[in-house]
Amino acid sequence: MKILLVEDEPNVVSLIKRGLAENGYEISVAPDGLSGLQMATTHDFDLIILDIMLPGVNGIEICRSIRRQNEQVPIMMLTALGTTENIVTGLDSGADDYLVKPFKLAELSARVRRLSRRMQHAGPVTSILQIADLELDTVSKSVRRAGRQLNLTATEYRLLEFLLRHQRRVLSRIEILEHVWDIDFNLGTNVVDVYVNYLRKKIDKDFTPRLIHTVVGMGYVMREQHEDTE
C-alpha cells in the first residue's frame, strides 16, 4: 500500500514513517504544500495523510484540488486544529478522516487500516435509494427531490446514503460517526448535528414532507412520519 504523507514537522514524519513502515506500508513524504500537491496529482497513491498548516499551500486547498481530479483516494487530515469548525472545514474539503495532534500511533494505524478496508470493499452498486420523492442514485452519485437536482458535498452524500439505507431506524450520533466517517472522533464535538443541519437545508427546507427528524435523546431518523420527533 502506497501512502503519501504531506507533513512539515520532521519529528512527526519520523514517527509515522517508522510506525507505518513496520506494517509494510510504502511511505512517500512531501515536506510542504506545493510538493505535496504536485505529488498527489501526478502519482498514484492508495492513501494520503495531509497536514493542514503547511508552507506554500495549506492542506485544505490541497484536499480540494485533489478531489477535483480524484474522488476515490482516501484522504486523512492530521492536524493540531481540533475545533468543530476545523473538523467540518476539513471534511467539507473532501477528507475522509480527521485526526488531531498529538495522536497515538496505534490509533493512526487503525484508521489507516479502516480506510484501506473501505477501498478494498468498495464496489459498483446499482441500486437506487428512495423515500417519498427523494431519490439517490449510487452509481451516478446524484440526488434528486421532486425531480430537482440537489448538489451535495461528499460528506453530505455519505450521510444521506447512510440515512436512506437505514430509513425508519433511529440512528445515534456515535453510530453515524462510525459508519459515515468510519471513525470515532471522541472529541466531544457536534459534527453530526452540523452535517444533519446542512443536509436538512438542502433536502427538506423547500420540500414537504420533512424527511430527517430528531428523536430527542436518541439521535436521528429518516422517515415520512414524524411521530415522537421534533
Side-chain angles (χ1 to χ4, degrees), residues 190-202:
N190 62 338
V191 168
V192 171
D193 302 310
V194 170
Y195 274 95
V196 167
N197 286 334
Y198 284 168
L199 196 55
R200 278 174 164 160
K201 290 177 182 178
K202 293 186 178 182

Side-chain angles (χ1 to χ4, degrees), residues 68-123:
R68 284 193 285 268
Q69 298 184 34
N70 188 335
E71 296 182 356
Q72 301 301 320
V73 62
I75 299 175
M76 178 192 299
M77 292 288 190
L78 183 64
T79 174
L81 303 176
T83 68
T84 297
E85 291 75 17
N86 295 144
I87 295 170
V88 169
T89 299
L91 296 174
D92 269 349
S93 71
D96 299 283
D97 198 351
Y98 196 105
L99 183 59
V100 177
K101 300 176 183 177
F103 60 92
K104 294 183 178 179
L105 186 58
E107 181 177 7
L108 174 66
S109 298
R111 294 189 182 204
V112 167
R113 289 193 296 271
R114 285 183 178 183
L115 289 172
S116 176
R117 287 197 300 269
R118 176 189 291 179
M119 289 302 296
Q120 291 172 359
H121 295 160

Side-chain angles (χ1 to χ4, degrees), residues 126-146:
T126 58
S127 62
I128 291 179
L129 306 177
Q130 186 170 5
I131 184 173
D133 56 355
L134 175 68
E135 183 178 282
L136 181 149
D137 187 327
T138 59
V139 175
S140 65
K141 305 296 184 184
S142 61
V143 178
R144 294 179 179 274
R145 181 148 195 201

